[in-house]
Amino acid sequence: MSDPAATRPSARDRRFDVLFEPVRIGPVVARNRFFQVPHCNGMGHARPRAHAAMRGVKAEGGWAVVSTEEVEIHPSSDLSPYVEGRLWDDRDAAALTLITDAVHAHGALAAIELAHGGINTPNHYSRETALGPSHTVSPYGYAPFQARAMTKREIREFRQWHRAAAIRAKRAGFDVIYVYAAHDLSLIMHFLLPRHNQRRDEYGGSLDNRVRLLRELIDDTKDAVGDTCAIAVRLAVEERRGEEGLEHAGEGRAIVEMLADLPDLWDVNVSGWSNDSATSRFAPEGSQEPFVSFVKRITGKPVVGVGRFTSPDAMVAQIRRGVLDFIGAARPSIADPFLPAKIERGDIDDIRECIGCNVCVSGDYTATPIRCTQNPTMGEEWRKGWHPEKLPPKIRDERFLIVGAGPAGLECARVLALRGHEVRLADAAHELGGRVTLESRLPGLSAWRRVRDYRASRLTKLPNVDVYLDSPVTSELVLDADATRVVLATGARWRRDGVGRANRRAVPGFDGPAVLTPEDLYAGRAAHSPVVVFDDDHYYLGGVLAERLRTDGHDVVLLTPAAIPSAWTVNTLEQAAIHRRLLELGVRVLVNRNVVDFDGTELGIACTITGREERLAAATVVTVTARWPNEALAEELAAIPERTAAAGIVSITSIGDCDAPGTIAAAVYAGHRFGREFDQPPNPAEPFRREYPDLDR
Ligand code: ADP
Ligand code: SF4
């Protein structure tokens, strides 16, 4: 290893030198300790150019190793409709070469996670029979299929598929080849687990037998490609399901002991995926340490682990204390692909820290390109040509007035100011951040403040931005502002009348004083027990408010027309944890129920399936159903086109929640998009680049 001090740029804080030491992994050397572990992205095999560009930007941002997501190695591991990587044949390898080229172009190593989903693969597209160690149903979803117990011949075939995939991966240019046994999403892990493996042959029964397949695959892969490629094992060392699963003090540890120095690298984590990628609401930075710290004491090979690390001090501590050799990151590398480069050049304040919201995961769950709350360029690198650190030069000088400093207004101001425009940002509130500031005061959401703080800190560094707080903006003020362009980012407010998905008309009685909106609660209006939170929004807010009201001492009912509380949070891996927390706190959860009317003391409710009605005691009803865009200012200005033109205003544009209420991620995206695109010639024929099916063969 070279002396990092010899090459240290003057801007880098000496404390962080250790992060920039090169580390050998078998036959290859990583240039530093920043390791982008495999993560899904909703682009996978279907959008290879977009996928490659995204990985290339990570390499450009300084990550030493950039990995794919799980890459299916055979048609019997078809994860459709999810869009993962695919390496069924040579033609798939050609598409993956785009990734290795993009990663190598910036001096990083490319890693591939070869995967067979085993009992979890319904094979909707390939229509192959699912394979597993024993006859079993899938533990995920309710798909009416079973996996068949593999014969020994099929185990031999599986080893050949894996070997062939490794050889193809090497030919495609990958430097690190993963043998994947984690998240309960891998055939190899299914063989490890007694709950899935009830075989009576040499692949079942004792731990030695259950580990046999993993050991064989490591040997096979080393034999096939180990001369030039490093062989990594990704292993769940803990599943947090007690004796039924792998435990870090039990078989999780024993497996590492049995294989200690066999792979070139250990990538260890806590499974399932919802534990590994726990949201900030349920797990702090570095939460996996107690489960994975034993690994380095057993093996002499480098160890990578994750923990939503965004603080360089926390990263250094992991290395110094001998917990990890590599700082593994999926989400922090999504929120800021340039995280290593920013530490290297001493721009710690410029790191766009992940907020742990898992909107990125929702891309995978909806089989659409990844998106990120903090990084609006994520997934847009190829199709829109967006770079997280570069913006197009301005075409001409403009003077902007931005009304509203929530996520949309803040991001818009940041982008426009970086492009060199004069920006004035005004907000009626006493603080920046809009809804993010308000929501980050709710239980478990404090990390969301980072959406505001990152942008606010950037704005203070830009001389061409003036920020005005406590400044309600009227149409007269807009006319007097001497702006050439006006951006309205005035947000939205929750409806009080109960209208949402289940009710298209106002609910009788919801106009009374005992009905509160989330904004009423933020403003300190008192609720009285029993409180019913009517959640027809289905994302996080209804559940979070129920939690807050319950911890404030109220009797709380969460009532929802959906079959489960906070139903959309399935897409952010949180639904089960939210449900559990509500029940453990003593919140009564009523599902499949709609509201009918309210008389101030009792709420009429009806079963959404049978229509059967009943009465429920309620002193306060909190409605979380839908939002009204704050469009009054836009309407006023639209009514006086001659006056706005005479004032020199060329355009007035509504962005974010005042355009159409949505996620914080959507508001940030809208702000970014306007800032980047307002002066670019639109191309209605192709608003973004698409990847077309190859019809040549
Ligand atoms: P978004 O998510 O679209 O950014 P938010 O609701 O988070 O929207 O933020 C909107 C911000 O706009 C709030 O901070 C609010 O105080 C501010 N705002 C709304 N109307 C006005 C106005 N007329 N003048 C100044 N600020 C306003
Ligand atoms: Fe982090 Fe949220 Fe971005 Fe995912 S979407 S990387 S959790 S900020």
Side-chain angles (χ1 to χ4, degrees), residues 456-631:
S457 96
R458 295 300 86 199
L459 293 185
T460 59
K461 301 237 161 30
L462 293 163
N464 47 336
V465 186
D466 289 318
V467 176
Y468 305 88
L469 290 171
D470 300 305
S471 304
V473 176
T474 61
S475 52
E476 291 303 322
L477 285 172
V478 171
L479 293 171
D480 285 347
D482 189 29
T484 55
R485 293 186 186 262
V486 176
V487 181
L488 303 176
T490 50
R493 64 201 182 280
W494 288 94
R495 295 179 73 127
R496 189 180 300 278
D497 56 8
V499 170
R501 290 177 172 82
N503 302 294
R504 297 288 163 171
R505 300 227 171 99
V507 178
F510 270 32
D511 49 358
V515 176
L516 302 182
T517 65
E519 283 95 1
D520 291 332
L521 295 176
Y522 304 152
R525 278 198 51 194
H528 302 284
S529 291
V531 184
V532 177
V533 176
F534 175 50
D535 183 6
D536 197 17
D537 171 59
H538 309 287
Y539 194 12
Y540 57 90
L541 194 63
V544 172
L545 290 175
E547 181 179 340
R548 158 54 51 85
L549 289 159
R550 181 67 193 136
T551 50
D552 284 351
H554 290 289
D555 292 334
V556 181
V557 177
L558 179 78
L559 184 140
T560 176
I564 46 174
S566 299
W568 199 80
T569 61
V570 166
N571 297 301
T572 54
L573 303 173
E574 297 171 287
Q575 196 282 326
I578 291 171
H579 203 159
R580 187 180 320 119
R581 178 166 289 175
L582 291 173
L583 295 180
E584 284 174 356
L585 284 171
V587 173
R588 187 175 165 211
V589 176
L590 281 178
V591 298
N592 293 326
R593 301 290 203 292
N594 192 10
V595 293
V596 177
D597 57 25
F598 182 46
D599 64 11
T601 57
E602 278 191 338
L603 190 64
I605 63 173
C607 173
T608 56
I609 316 290
T610 64
R612 193 168 59 83
E613 294 193 8
E614 57 188 310
R615 310 287 302 169
L616 187 68
T620 300
V621 173
V622 177
T623 55
V624 187
T625 59
R627 285 179 287 162
W628 286 113
N630 291 327
E631 53 194 356

Side-chain angles (χ1 to χ4, degrees), residues 100-440:
T100 55
D101 285 348
V103 169
H104 291 158
H106 296 286
L109 299 174
I112 182 166
E113 186 179 59
L114 301 182
H116 192 294
I119 65 174
N120 297 317
T121 43
N123 296 327
H124 290 306
Y125 173 54
S126 69
R127 303 187 74 170
E128 293 292 328
T129 301
L131 299 172
S134 305
H135 294 297
T136 183
V137 291
S138 167
Y140 297 103
Y142 300 107
F145 76 94
Q146 284 198 203
R148 188 166 53 71
M150 292 164 79
T151 62
K152 285 216 243 162
R153 182 180 55 78
E154 285 170 327
I155 292 176
R156 283 195 298 279
E157 282 173 1
F158 168 60
R159 289 176 58 186
Q160 282 160 14
W161 302 336
H162 199 279
R163 186 185 183 92
I167 291 168
R168 286 194 180 103
K170 176 181 168 176
R171 268 196 233 123
F174 285 98
D175 310 285
V176 180
I177 315 279
Y178 266 92
V179 178
Y180 176 52
H183 299 119
D184 199 12
L185 296 175
S186 135
L187 179 61
I188 307 168
M189 182 163 171
H190 299 148
F191 269 79
L192 294 176
L193 298 168
R195 70 173 184 274
H196 298 318
N197 180 350
Q198 287 103 39
R199 297 179 75 91
R200 300 224 180 99
D201 61 8
E202 66 268 34
Y203 288 96
S206 69
L207 183 61
D208 265 344
N209 282 356
R210 284 180 279 121
V211 170
R212 187 178 309 279
L213 182 61
L214 173 56
R215 186 191 290 279
E216 287 174 345
L217 287 163
I218 300 170
D219 284 338
D220 290 347
T221 314
K222 282 180 94 163
D223 181 57
V225 299
D227 54 340
T228 57
C229 299
I231 311 306
V233 169
R234 197 171 205 202
L235 178 73
V237 292
E238 169 69 49
E239 291 189 278
R240 311 215 63 187
R241 49 196 306 159
E243 288 178 3
E244 194 207 23
L246 285 172
E247 293 181 284
H248 69 290
E251 290 197 342
R253 180 188 182 98
I255 295 168
V256 179
E257 284 172 345
M258 290 164 76
L259 303 174
D261 285 342
L262 198 57
D264 296 316
L265 174 87
W266 283 99
D267 177 343
V268 285
N269 63 29
V270 180
S271 288
W273 191 13
S274 58
N275 286 325
D276 195 18
S277 295
T279 56
S280 55
R281 196 171 159 190
F282 294 98
E285 182 171 347
S287 66
Q288 299 204 15
E289 178 177 336
F291 304 104
V292 305
S293 57
F294 75 89
V295 178
K296 253 191 77 59
R297 292 196 288 276
I298 293 172
T299 178
K301 299 302 172 83
V303 177
V304 57
V306 295
R308 207 162 24 78
F309 295 115
T310 56
S311 145
D313 285 308
M315 297 175 195
V316 168
Q318 293 285 310
I319 309 293
R320 295 264 184 242
R321 287 189 290 108
V323 181
L324 300 174
D325 297 293
F326 283 106
I327 301 304
R331 291 173 293 175
S333 76
I334 294 167
D336 197 336
F338 275 64
L339 187 150
K342 289 176 182 178
I343 298 174
E344 172 125 50
R345 62 175 192 245
D347 277 345
I348 307 297
D349 292 348
D350 194 23
I351 295 173
R352 232 177 359 256
E353 292 185 293
C354 167
I355 70 165
C357 63
N358 280 4
V359 161
C360 47
V361 174
S362 74
D364 186 56
Y365 266 67
T366 55
T368 47
I370 188 168
R371 69 225 43 208
C372 170
T373 301
Q374 277 284 57
N375 175 11
T377 68
M378 178 49 49
E380 307 295 341
E381 299 84 355
W382 180 81
R383 68 176 190 170
K384 286 203 158 194
W386 287 5
H387 187 282
E389 304 299 316
K390 294 179 197 154
L391 293 162
K394 68 180 169 188
I395 293 171
R396 72 178 68 83
D397 288 329
E398 301 272 7
R399 295 184 306 281
F400 278 89
L401 172 66
I402 303 175
V403 185
L410 281 170
E411 176 67 4
C412 192
R414 186 186 76 89
V415 172
L416 289 169
L418 278 172
R419 291 188 65 198
H421 294 293
E422 222 178 276
V423 176
R424 275 178 293 160
L425 175 64
D427 199 296
H430 192 56
E431 282 178 274
L432 295 173
R435 63 181 287 198
V436 162
T437 296
L438 298 169
E439 292 177 16
S440 66

Side-chain angles (χ1 to χ4, degrees), residues 475-476 478-480 636-637 639-649:
S475 52
E476 291 303 322
V478 171
L479 293 171
D480 285 347
E636 275 175 41
L637 291 167
I640 49 171
E642 300 82 9
R643 292 187 67 200
T644 55
I649 297 170

